[in-house]
Amino acid sequence: AQKVTQAQTEISVVEKEDVTLDCVYETRDTTYYLFWYKQPPSGELVFLIRRNSFDEQNEISGRYSWNFQKSTSSFNFTITASQVVDSAVYFCALSEARGTSYGKLTFGQGTILTVHP
Amino acid sequence: DAGVTQSPTHLIKTRGQQVTLRCSPISGHKSVSWYQQVLGQGPQFIFQYYEKEERGRGNFPDRFSARQFPNYSSELNVNALLLGDSALYLCASSYQTGQGVAGANVLTFGAGSRLTVL
């Protein structure tokens, strides 16, 4: 069975601070995919990144960066110089890499990020 | 292009009633997945449909059912509503076929249908 744990329920920072959201996962699969989604108050989940289990290269996209460490089963997300617009709930998710399972994501509980001006 | 659209956006039902939620995927997307998100929790997978066939089912009772139409839109039905069914129901669509391991599909989510059961 797959499991995703986001131990940080809520994080509060002041604008321009850096913040890291933790994600730890469990899976028996050797091939899998990891995701981060953002859920603003409107409720719609917004895709941020997908990472293949084969690729442990870290990725940076603007103020966002992701650290994937297979050895510790972690896929952490860092926002540099946070802004008020970053305030949202962030979800880490995992999917199997099988043909019949690609539409099924296992989500963590989410981390509520509040960025204060 | 329009994103994933869901209707209704909000609805209130009483225990024992039945509800139908609707989802229109992004044009060209053949796969639709349904998720339930209870307040304060992450989304839970309910169903996945591709080409009108069920391709996956989560740990939900038989009161939950779904179908996909030839135009790839989908409906989620919940019978005999319970208070615990109150949640945000999210629909997501994706493009790839699901056959083989050729890339994980990136799910694009709609804004959801918020169901309140009284």
Side-chain angles (χ1 to χ4, degrees):
Chain A
Q2 297 187 327
K3 185 179 180 181
V4 176
T5 301
Q6 295 179 253
Q8 303 151 310
T9 305
E10 291 191 54
I11 299 176
S12 181
V13 299
V14 176
E15 208 169 20
K16 297 184 182 178
E17 284 186 28
D18 298 347
V19 58
T20 295
L21 309 181
D22 297 333
C23 173
V24 175
Y25 63 91
E26 298 175 27
T27 180
R28 294 179 182 176
D29 295 315
T30 55
T31 305
Y32 50 89
Y33 295 90
L34 294 162
F35 302 79
W36 276 94
Y37 279 86
K38 174 182 179 180
Q39 188 174 41
S42 62
E44 187 171 340
L45 285 164
V46 177
F47 168 76
L48 295 178
I49 189 171
R50 177 187 68 201
R51 172 62 71 215
N52 185 314
S53 58
F54 293 150
D55 182 5
E56 292 193 61
Q57 186 174 7
N58 292 331
E59 183 161 338
I60 298 174
S61 176
R63 296 183 298 107
Y64 296 170
S65 62
W66 291 269
N67 184 308
F68 175 31
Q69 292 195 344
K70 207 168 181 178
S71 60
T72 57
S73 298
S74 66
F75 186 43
N76 296 337
F77 173 32
T78 297
I79 302 174
T80 302
S82 60
Q83 300 176 0
V84 173
V85 293
D86 295 327
S87 297
V89 183
Y90 290 86
F91 290 98
C92 180
L94 170 68
S95 78
E96 300 173 357
R98 297 180 216 166
T100 58
S101 302
Y102 72 94
K104 175 184 178 181
L105 297 183
T106 299
F107 284 86
Q109 292 288 87
T111 297
I112 302 171
L113 175 64
T114 303
V115 182
H116 299 281
Chain B
D1 284 342
V4 177
T5 57
Q6 293 186 242
S7 63
T9 54
H10 295 82
L11 67 167
I12 300 173
K13 294 285 187 178
T14 57
R15 282 179 297 176
Q17 286 189 313
Q18 175 264 343
V19 68
T20 298
L21 308 178
R22 297 175 177 81
C23 172
S24 294
I26 291 173
S27 178
H29 285 192
K30 298 182 178 181
S31 174
V32 169
S33 299
W34 286 95
Y35 288 78
Q36 181 197 64
Q37 186 178 17
V38 174
L39 192 63
Q41 296 183 18
Q44 297 287 318
F45 173 75
I46 310 176
F47 285 111
Q48 180 206 338
Y49 274 78
Y50 173 71
E51 290 283 15
K52 296 173 290 181
E53 291 186 4
E54 182 182 304
R55 295 300 182 92
R57 185 184 185 108
N59 188 24
F60 280 81
D62 292 343
R63 299 185 296 108
F64 288 77
S65 62
R67 55 179 176 170
Q68 186 176 34
F69 299 98
N71 66 353
Y72 304 112
S73 67
S74 177
E75 287 183 352
L76 175 69
N77 295 284
V78 186
N79 294 322
L81 286 167
L82 304 174
L83 296 179
D85 295 330
S86 295
L88 179 67
Y89 288 85
L90 295 163
C91 173
S93 73
S94 57
Y95 175 74
Q96 283 190 309
T97 65
Q99 294 299 317
V101 186
N105 289 265
V106 174
L107 301 186
T108 301
F109 285 83
S113 294
R114 187 166 296 281
L115 170 66
T116 301
V117 182
L118 301 177

